[in-house]
Amino acid sequence: MAIKTRLIVMNFLQFFVWGSWLISLGSYMGGQLGFSGLQIGSVYSTMGIASVFMPGLLGIVADRWVNAERVYAAAHLIGACALIAAANVTDFSTFYSLMLLNSLFYMPSLGLSNSVCYNVLSRRQLDVVKNFPPIRVWGTVGFIVAMWAVDLLGWTQSTNQLYVSAGAGLFLAGYALTVPPSPPFLDETRRKTLMSSLGLDAFVLLKKRNTALFFVFSLLLGAALQITNAFGGPFLNDFKTIYPDSFGVQHPNLLLSISQLSETFFILLIPFFLTRFGIRKVILFSIVAWVFRFGLFGLGNPADKLYLLVLSMVIYGMAFDFFNISGSLYVEKVAEPKIRSSAQGLFIIMTNGFGAIIGGYGSGWVVDHFTSADGIRDWPSIWFTFAGYALALAILFLLVFRGRQIDTKPVTSPS
């Protein structure tokens, strides 16, 4: 099999593992296990907890001592075993612990997957910038295929979604060992300090006011990323008594997957928007898009107002991509070359780490606050609260950066 094809298969499986449960697990936890909003949110926050430190720790292992593909295989093996165990428990504390264990090893596998691809392509003297994006896009395809498979098989509220993910993870663990080796770069990595390996030297960027504020907004917007992942499914499921035959109730994952399809479209628009409006305005567009994302959820339903939900899914592509991709480019500009990897790591820690933790627990509290004693959720109030949060961020962003552009002059890091 050609090496590019082999890496495509690896990326497809990497995100198939995640897509099998990420969007639908909230429906299973709320509908079958009877978990509260805070409990559901806390399970999703495990990904944030893992993102704070595990990518750095497993990255050090792969950089210094063990081939990256072996660390990658071990991570998927442990994660798959945790999912199998989670599928066989119903109490919250045990389920939470097992999903935390899964997150501790799945989240660093995202970076390890990229590392293996970069290493294999580089060792074959292939242009990474040119060849990696067409390989990585198959990860998004894998995510969508997994969502559709779980939906069409009727497993959005079943433990089978966890078994599907675990099965794919076990297969990927074995498959990864057949990929060409990615040994540590001993001379380069052993000269790096532990602080540098963990990405902590990028904290020098916080010396500059605008850059520090950018990372604060990264954290606050990161809180929005997991909200619809955790509660999009339970939201649609609650319409089953009113619109039991509607498309959104019958096929929630198919409806929600429009968000992932939208991502691929808006990624292509980023170069035009950045050239035409600049990074500052593009980030503002992203924040405003979150307002509409949540607001349209509050106004829509899966029957006569399905078009509002579809529009919300489409807007998600702008809300997600315009901040994550543009934010990554901003970090690339403000960081000098020798701390760029650490700076990107700090960006991920803020958005997928601390931001996801705050978003998981915060959104769970909001859902419980608007849930009556008999378990009826006031979804319009819930979504409008999230929309109000995004609107407040947009206004704050305008006030903070009024009359000035984001400074893109690199900050000098300590030697």
Side-chain angles (χ1 to χ4, degrees):
M1 190 185 298
I3 190 60
K4 292 181 185 178
T5 304
R6 294 176 68 184
L7 295 179
I8 284 173
V9 172
M10 191 181 80
N11 275 267
F12 180 93
L13 291 170
Q14 170 69 35
F15 287 88
F16 185 96
V17 168
W18 209 11
S20 299
W21 63 264
L22 181 65
I23 306 300
S24 53
L25 189 66
S27 294
Y28 168 67
M29 290 189 289
Q32 299 301 314
L33 300 182
F35 290 173
S36 68
L38 184 58
Q39 288 174 326
I40 293 172
S42 65
V43 169
Y44 275 85
S45 74
T46 60
M47 291 177 281
I49 295 171
S51 296
V52 171
F53 64 94
M54 280 301 288
L57 292 179
L58 288 193
I60 291 174
V61 174
D63 283 343
R64 299 192 177 202
W65 298 298
V66 183
N67 283 17
E69 80 279 358
R70 296 178 184 176
V71 180
Y72 179 69
H76 275 290
L77 176 62
I78 296 171
C81 291
L83 289 178
I84 292 172
N88 289 279
V89 300
T90 56
D91 66 289
F92 170 72
S93 60
T94 307
F95 188 86
Y96 174 87
S97 298
L98 291 168
M99 291 307 297
L100 174 60
L101 178 62
N102 173 72
S103 292
L104 289 173
F105 287 93
Y106 179 81
M107 298 311 290
S109 77
L110 293 168
L112 289 169
S113 175
N114 290 345
S115 178
V116 170
C117 288
Y118 295 157
N119 195 307
V120 171
L121 291 172
S122 297
R123 287 178 182 273
R124 278 161 175 70
Q125 298 183 341
L126 295 171
D127 186 344
V128 173
V129 174
K130 178 182 177 181
N131 289 282
F132 180 68
I135 292 172
R136 171 58 183 83
V137 74
W138 283 94
T140 302
V141 173
F143 192 98
I144 294 171
V145 169
M147 288 182 64
W148 287 11
V150 168
D151 186 291
L152 294 174
L153 291 169
W155 293 343
T156 56
Q157 293 192 54
S158 165
T159 56
N160 287 340
Q161 62 185 286
L162 297 176
Y163 286 122
V164 169
S165 179
L170 290 173
F171 180 81
L172 179 54
Y175 179 84
L177 297 177
T178 71
V179 174
S182 300
F185 290 94
L186 300 180
D187 292 339
E188 295 179 23
T189 56
R190 288 180 177 173
R191 284 198 300 266
K192 294 173 66 176
T193 64
L194 180 62
M195 183 176 180
S196 177
S197 297
L198 290 172
L200 301 181
D201 52 357
F203 277 93
V204 68
L205 293 171
L206 302 183
K207 287 182 177 180
K208 297 186 69 173
R209 178 179 179 275
N210 279 350
T211 310
L213 287 171
F214 168 80
F215 280 109
V216 171
F217 277 101
S218 298
L219 185 151
L220 296 174
L221 276 174
L225 298 180
Q226 293 295 345
I227 291 175
T228 44
N229 285 343
F231 295 106
F235 164 64
L236 294 172
N237 184 59
D238 277 359
F239 284 102
K240 64 184 179 183
T241 56
I242 307 174
Y243 308 114
D245 299 322
S246 64
F247 175 79
V249 171
Q250 292 292 318
H251 300 288
N253 270 20
L254 294 187
L255 177 59
L256 292 168
S257 71
I258 297 173
S259 296
Q260 279 65 47
L261 293 171
S262 174
E263 282 185 50
T264 62
F265 172 73
F266 276 99
I267 284 176
L268 300 176
L269 295 180
I270 287 176
F272 167 77
F273 274 83
L274 284 177
T275 303
R276 179 67 177 82
F277 299 103
I279 287 179
R280 179 176 182 270
K281 289 183 179 178
V282 168
I283 292 176
L284 179 60
F285 292 159
S286 168
I287 303 174
V288 174
W290 280 112
V291 178
F292 285 98
R293 163 70 163 175
F294 297 133
L296 289 169
F297 259 62
L299 296 171
N301 65 55
D304 59 306
K305 294 183 179 179
L306 177 63
Y307 67 96
L308 294 177
L309 298 184
V310 172
L311 183 57
S312 176
M313 307 302 168
V314 173
I315 288 174
Y316 174 83
M318 174 180 283
F320 182 83
D321 288 336
F322 275 29
F323 180 75
N324 281 267
I325 305 300
S326 299
S328 178
L329 292 172
Y330 168 70
V331 171
E332 187 74 7
K333 283 192 172 186
V334 298
E336 64 173 332
K338 66 180 179 180
I339 63 167
R340 279 176 181 164
S341 294
S342 298
Q344 294 294 343
L346 178 59
F347 180 56
I348 295 299
I349 288 172
M350 289 296 184
T351 54
N352 295 349
F354 293 120
I357 294 171
I358 294 171
Y361 283 101
S363 62
W365 180 86
V366 170
V367 170
D368 284 345
H369 180 75
F370 289 105
T371 300
S372 64
D374 55 357
I376 304 299
R377 297 184 178 103
D378 180 3
W379 284 111
S381 296
I382 291 170
W383 293 121
F384 292 149
T385 298
F386 296 145
Y389 170 77
L391 180 60
L393 288 184
I395 295 172
L396 183 61
F397 185 86
L398 279 174
L399 292 175
V400 170
F401 292 108
R402 177 183 291 179
R404 61 173 69 91
Q405 292 294 321
I406 293 178
D407 194 351
T408 56
K409 183 178 180 181
V411 178
T412 301
S413 65
S415 57

